[in-house]
Amino acid sequence: MNKPVIIDPEGLNQLISTLTRMGFQVVGPTVREEAIVYEKLESIKDLPEGFTDEQDGGIYRLKRRSDKALFGYVVGPHSWKKFLHPPERRLWSADSEGNDFKIKPEKLESPKFAFLGVRACEMHAIAIQDKVFINDKYVDPVYQIRRENAFFIAVNCGQAGGTCFCVSMNTGPKVDTGFDLALTEILDTDRHYFVVEVGSDRGAACLEQVTHQQAQNEEVRQAEDVVEKTSGQMGRTLDTTHIKELLYDNLEHPRWDDIAERCLSCANCTMVCPTCFCSTVEDVTDITGTHAERWQKWDSCFTMDFTYLHGGEVRASTKSRYRQWLTHKLASWQDQFGSSGCVGCGRCITWCPPAIDLTEEISQIRDSETQTSKPT
Amino acid sequence: MMARKSKPKVAVWKFASCDGCQLSLLDCEDDLLAVSQEIEIAHFPEASRAVMKGPYDLSLVEGSITTPHDAERIHEIRKSSKFLITIGACATAGGIQALRNFKDVNDFISIVYATPDYIDTLQKSTPISDHIKVDFELRGCPIDKMQLLEVISAFINGRKPNTPAHSTCIECKRRGTVCVMVAQGKMCMGPVTHAGCGALCPSYDRGCYGCFGPQETTNTGSLSTQLKKLGADDDEIVRTFRGFNAYAEPFRKESELHDKENH
Ligand code: SF4
Ligand code: SF4
Ligand code: SF4
Ligand code: SF4
C-alpha cells in the first residue's frame, strides 16, 4: 500500500470538498446540544475545533481545549449506527385493492456517506454489525447498500476518554482495518498537520485531489507516539480472561440483584452501543383501513415487549434483563458471532444515568468468584 | 377488504379535566375529515351540539372522578359503551388535581371557596379505572394527537394500538437528542416515564416532566438517588414526582418516601 502522506487542515478541507463533489454526503463530529455528535459536515469549520469532552459514569461534559485540535475528544452519544442502521424506517406499505391488497416495497436508495473521524473502536463495531446484517444467511438490504457505499476516513485517537477501554478489548486506539484513509492529528508548537495512511485505492485516488506531501520518518514516528500515549491513558480496563465462562458460571451471582437495584431499565445503554442491533416492527393502518405500513424501530432487551410471548414476558425482572444484556455482549455473542459484542467504547458507561459500569460489574463478579473458589 | 356495515358510534365524555385532551381530537386537522368519515360522532359537546342516544360503540373518557355525582355518572357511561378508552393523565391517573389526595380536601375548600357549603366533592381525585372496567388507557398530559389517531384507527380496524410502554429515553435516543441529564446535569424523569410524546422536552433542552406517567418497569428509587446526586433535596424530589401523574402508584409511593409530612 502507498506510503503515508502529510496534509494540513486546509488539505482536510479539500478532502471534504472532493468527497462532496464525488457525490458523498460527508458526516462527522460537530458540536450540538452541549456534546459532540455526528451530523452532516460542509467544511472543517463544522468540526469541533478546540473542544474536548470529559467523561465518567453517567457524566459527559463538553470542554474547551487550550489548542485548536480538530479531533481532540473521543466518542460521544451518537455512533455511525444511526446512518447504517437507521433508528426508524418504513419497511413497506400496502394498499387494499378490491378484495386483495398490494404491497409496495420501499425504494432501496440511500445517500452515499463519507464518514469522517471514525475511531478504531467504531471501525470494529461496524465490522461486528457487518457480521449481523450482511455476512450471514439473511441480509439486511438497507444496511448493505449504506455500508457498501460508505467511505471511511478514520482517526487515530490522540487521547483516551474517561470511560474508554479499547486496549482491553483489542480494538484500538490505532485503526487497523477497513478504512479508506486514516488520520493522526499532530499539534506541534508551530505546526498543525495530519499523517495520513492510505487503506484503499479509492482512498489514494481521493488524496490525489488534495494538497499533500510524503511523510518523513520523523513525522510517522510522531504519529506512532501519539497512539502509544493514548494506549496508556485508558479510563477503564476490563479483564477478559475466560470472560465467557465467568459469565456462564455466574448466572445466579448476587451482584445481578445489586445491579437491578440501580438499573432504571431505561435502555440508554443499548441505544448508544454501536454494536447493539435489535429492532422491533410496528404495523400500522390508517383510519380508513385501506392503507397499512410496517415500520422498523430500534428496540432494546430492556423493554418488556422484547420477550413478550402469549400471556407474559420471559424476562420480567430488571435483573434478568440486565444479565441478558451483559451476558450477550461479552459471552454468548462469542458463540453466536465468533467475537465479543463489546468494543470498549465506553458509551454505555457514560450515557447510563445511574452510572452502571460493565467493567466494574465484571470485576466485582470476578473478584468474588476468586474469593469463593480460593481454598479457605 | 369488506365494506363496513355502518360507522361506529363514538361518544366523548368529560369529567374533572381541562378539556385539552378532547381538543387533541379537534386538533387532528388534516386527519379530522378522514376520522369523521369513518366514525359517527354521537356525543361530543365540545365539537357539536347534536346528541345521539346510546349505546355507543366507543367512548372516549377524559377527566378524573372528583364528585359523588361523577362517580355515579361514569357507571351509566360504562353501561352504554361497548368499548371504553380513557384519555389523558386525569382519566388514567387522577391528574394534577390529585395533588389534593396528599392533603385533607376540606382544608382547601375552606380556604378557596367563599361558601364552602355549596361544595360537594370527594376526598380524592381518582382515575376512571378505580371505578369501572376500562378497555384501554391512553396516557399523556395532554395526550399526543398522533397517538389518539392511532388508537382510534386501531379500534376501528380491530387491531392492537402501537403505544409502547417503555421509557421515554428510547424515544429520546432514537431521535438523536443528547441526554440533558448526562451532558448537562439537568433533572429528567425520562428513565421512569412512559413513552408517547417522542421525548419532546429533552429536544427543547429540558428534562422530561413525566407527563405520560410511569413506564412499564419503573425504578423510581434509583432515579431519586440520581436526582440527589444532581443536587435535588427531598422537597424537590417530592415536587418532581408530584406532577400530572402524582397519584400513579410508582410516582405516589416515591414522593411519599421523600415527603417530610409522612415521617
Ligand atoms: S475506546 Fe479507544 S478507539 Fe474508542 S474512542 Fe476511546 S481511545 Fe479511541
Ligand atoms: S457494551 Fe458499552 S463499551 Fe461495549 S461496545 Fe457497547 S457501548 Fe461500547
Ligand atoms: S444499565 Fe443503565 S442505561 Fe442500561 S438500562 Fe440500566 S440504567 Fe439504563
Ligand atoms: S434526556 Fe431524559 S429522556 Fe432523554 S435519554 Fe436523558 S434521561 Fe432519558
Side-chain angles (χ1 to χ4, degrees):
Chain A
M1 206 37 77
N2 316 43
K3 285 237 171 65
V5 304
I6 299 291
I7 62 171
D8 64 9
E10 189 38 44
L12 184 59
N13 220 9
Q14 292 169 6
L15 184 60
I16 295 176
S17 356
T18 303
L19 286 161
T20 310
R21 261 200 320 278
M22 289 165 70
F24 284 100
Q25 190 183 111
V26 183
V27 289
T30 194
V31 171
R32 197 193 80 196
E33 298 168 34
E34 303 291 319
I36 294 162
V37 298
Y38 297 151
E39 298 286 353
K40 194 166 184 291
L41 303 177
E42 307 282 349
S43 76
I44 58 165
K45 288 224 163 52
D46 294 332
L47 290 169
E49 185 190 85
F51 279 101
T52 190
D53 48 20
E54 283 175 15
Q55 302 194 34
D56 202 348
I59 297 174
Y60 179 102
R61 290 292 179 273
L62 187 67
K63 292 271 154 101
R64 282 277 173 194
R65 296 172 60 94
S66 54
D67 59 22
K68 294 193 160 190
L70 293 171
F71 298 98
Y73 42 85
V74 288
V75 295
H78 289 184
S79 74
W80 311 98
K81 170 169 100 168
K82 72 170 193 168
F83 300 106
L84 295 172
H85 174 48
E88 297 190 355
R89 68 184 160 99
R90 189 165 58 202
L91 296 176
W92 49 259
S93 47
D95 287 298
S96 71
E97 288 184 355
N99 284 331
D100 211 347
F101 64 89
K102 195 170 181 174
I103 291 189
K104 266 194 268 157
E106 282 300 295
K107 277 211 196 88
L108 255 191
E109 51 190 9
S110 131
K112 272 170 43 183
F113 291 113
F115 297 142
L116 171 60
V118 187
R119 307 305 173 107
C121 57
E122 302 186 299
M123 292 300 307
H124 280 268
I126 292 167
I128 288 173
Q129 288 213 325
D130 286 351
K131 281 191 217 158
V132 177
F133 289 125
I134 45 181
N135 300 344
D136 202 356
K137 215 173 358 170
Y138 304 102
V139 169
D140 180 328
V142 167
Y143 182 92
Q144 185 176 38
I145 180 174
R146 290 173 170 237
R147 174 69 177 89
E148 283 170 359
N149 281 335
F151 188 98
F152 288 89
I153 308 159
V155 165
N156 290 314
C157 290
Q159 65 187 65
T163 56
C164 291
F165 58 104
C166 57
V167 167
S168 304
M169 303 315 287
N170 251 325
T171 54
K174 179 151 176 52
V175 181
D176 47 14
T177 55
F179 58 89
D180 294 293
L181 298 171
L183 319 178
T184 309
E185 183 172 36
I186 315 272
L187 281 137
D188 267 352
T189 32
D190 53 348
R191 235 180 115 206
H192 185 184
Y193 65 99
F194 300 93
V195 177
V196 187
E197 249 181 285
V198 182
S200 71
D201 291 341
R202 60 177 188 165
C206 231
L207 260 190
E208 287 310 312
Q209 311 296 314
V210 173
T211 317
H212 66 274
Q213 63 208 69
Q214 288 302 313
Q216 306 299 310
N217 288 344
E218 175 51 30
E219 290 159 338
V220 173
R221 199 169 321 118
Q222 238 183 320
E224 284 164 0
D225 287 350
V226 165
V227 181
E228 184 66 34
K229 190 179 104 249
T230 303
S231 299
Q233 288 177 344
M234 292 292 128
R236 298 287 197 274
T237 51
L238 178 67
D239 178 0
T240 58
T241 328
H242 302 305
I243 196 156
K244 192 171 98 178
E245 293 72 20
L246 178 77
L247 282 158
Y248 285 168
D249 289 347
N250 283 287
L251 295 175
E252 295 306 329
H253 196 283
R255 188 72 187 176
W256 301 118
D257 295 298
D258 182 87
I259 299 167
E261 295 269 300
R262 289 171 280 141
C263 177
L264 295 160
S265 265
C266 63
N268 276 307
C269 46
T270 51
M271 297 286 123
V272 293
C273 178
T275 68
C276 275
F277 56 82
C278 287
S279 53
T280 183
V281 287
E282 277 179 12
D283 288 346
V284 295
T285 56
D286 71 351
I287 193 139
T288 65
T290 58
H291 178 79
E293 297 184 351
R294 173 166 290 181
W295 283 77
Q296 185 188 69
K297 298 181 174 180
W298 284 358
D299 199 8
S300 168
C301 47
F302 282 91
T303 72
M304 291 293 233
D305 272 354
F306 194 83
T307 60
Y308 184 86
L309 300 173
H310 55 90
E313 297 84 15
V314 176
R315 295 188 204 106
S317 68
T318 298
K319 169 187 168 178
S320 64
R321 291 198 293 277
Y322 185 89
R323 182 179 56 197
Q324 151 64 25
W325 179 67
L326 197 61
T327 309
H328 187 215
K329 271 290 105 143
L330 298 173
S332 51
W333 204 292
Q334 297 187 31
D335 295 330
Q336 195 180 3
F337 300 110
S339 77
S340 173
C342 173
V343 296
C345 73
R347 283 183 180 88
C348 59
I349 307 172
T350 300
W351 299 97
C352 170
I356 296 173
D357 176 345
L358 76 169
T359 65
E360 175 63 17
E361 303 310 336
I362 291 291
S363 99
Q364 290 287 339
I365 292 175
R366 194 183 286 285
D367 287 355
S368 55
E369 211 209 35
T370 325
Q371 277 163 19
T372 47
S373 56
K374 261 189 215 143
T376 41
Chain B
M1 198 182 153
M2 287 217 319
R4 286 188 205 96
K5 282 189 212 84
S6 62
K7 292 187 194 176
K9 268 167 78 179
V10 176
V12 183
W13 307 95
K14 175 184 159 63
F15 287 81
S17 60
C18 75
D19 288 20
C21 289
Q22 328 181 22
L23 291 177
S24 305
L25 188 57
L26 297 178
D27 204 22
C28 290
E29 290 138 9
D30 302 347
D31 302 288
L32 194 58
L33 197 62
V35 172
S36 64
Q37 275 165 1
E38 298 301 320
I39 60 177
E40 180 136 39
I41 302 280
H43 178 97
F44 189 5
E46 277 280 354
S48 138
R49 243 172 291 172
V51 175
M52 286 165 67
K53 283 231 277 296
Y56 309 101
D57 295 297
L58 170 64
S59 276
L60 299 172
V61 180
E62 176 197 89
S64 68
I65 302 295
T66 55
T67 64
H69 172 242
D70 278 353
E72 295 285 316
R73 186 162 64 101
I74 189 64
H75 286 279
E76 293 308 311
I77 292 170
R78 175 72 265 190
K79 269 185 222 145
S80 61
S81 312
K82 283 191 199 148
F83 204 81
L84 187 146
I85 296 175
T86 51
I87 57 171
C90 300
T92 60
I96 191 75
Q97 59 274 27
L99 285 179
R100 76 185 197 197
N101 300 4
F102 298 93
K103 308 268 182 200
D104 184 350
V105 74
N106 296 313
D107 295 347
F108 292 126
I109 294 173
S110 58
I111 297 169
V112 174
Y113 296 98
T115 322
D117 297 351
Y118 291 168
I119 305 299
D120 185 14
T121 190
L122 296 169
Q123 192 55 240
K124 289 187 163 40
S125 165
T126 45
I128 302 296
S129 60
D130 276 10
H131 301 263
I132 55 160
K133 175 180 170 289
V134 169
D135 298 301
F136 187 81
E137 294 191 311
L138 183 63
R139 305 280 199 87
C141 183
I143 53 169
D144 175 89
K145 67 178 181 187
M146 296 317 288
Q147 280 208 326
L148 179 62
L149 272 180
E150 165 64 11
V151 168
I152 295 175
S153 301
F155 166 77
I156 291 175
N157 293 296
R159 63 173 173 85
K160 193 172 158 273
N162 293 298
T163 52
H166 56 58
S167 72
T168 301
C169 298
I170 291 186
E171 294 187 310
C172 196
K173 283 289 184 289
R174 280 186 193 146
R175 72 187 282 169
T177 302
V178 177
C179 177
V180 300
M181 190 139 71
V182 169
Q184 300 183 53
K186 292 184 177 167
M187 296 204 288
C188 183
M189 286 279 277
V192 296
T193 300
H194 191 292
C197 65
L200 197 59
C201 288
S203 80
Y204 285 93
D205 212 22
R206 315 198 55 154
C208 162
Y209 292 96
C211 310
F212 282 61
Q215 63 128 315
E216 56 194 4
T217 52
T218 44
N219 187 344
T220 51
S222 173
L223 185 66
S224 289
T225 308
Q226 175 67 11
L227 298 181
K228 283 204 168 157
K229 272 199 244 162
L230 297 177
D233 58 13
D234 279 323
D235 289 347
E236 197 157 6
I237 291 176
V238 171
R239 279 196 299 275
T240 306
F241 281 98
R242 283 190 193 160
F244 316 108
N245 289 280
Y247 211 57
E249 187 164 289
F251 291 1
R252 173 176 65 79
K253 285 191 171 157
E254 189 61 29
S255 77
E256 282 169 353
L257 282 176
H258 299 269
D259 188 345
K260 292 191 197 79
E261 292 185 17
N262 294 333
H263 301 292

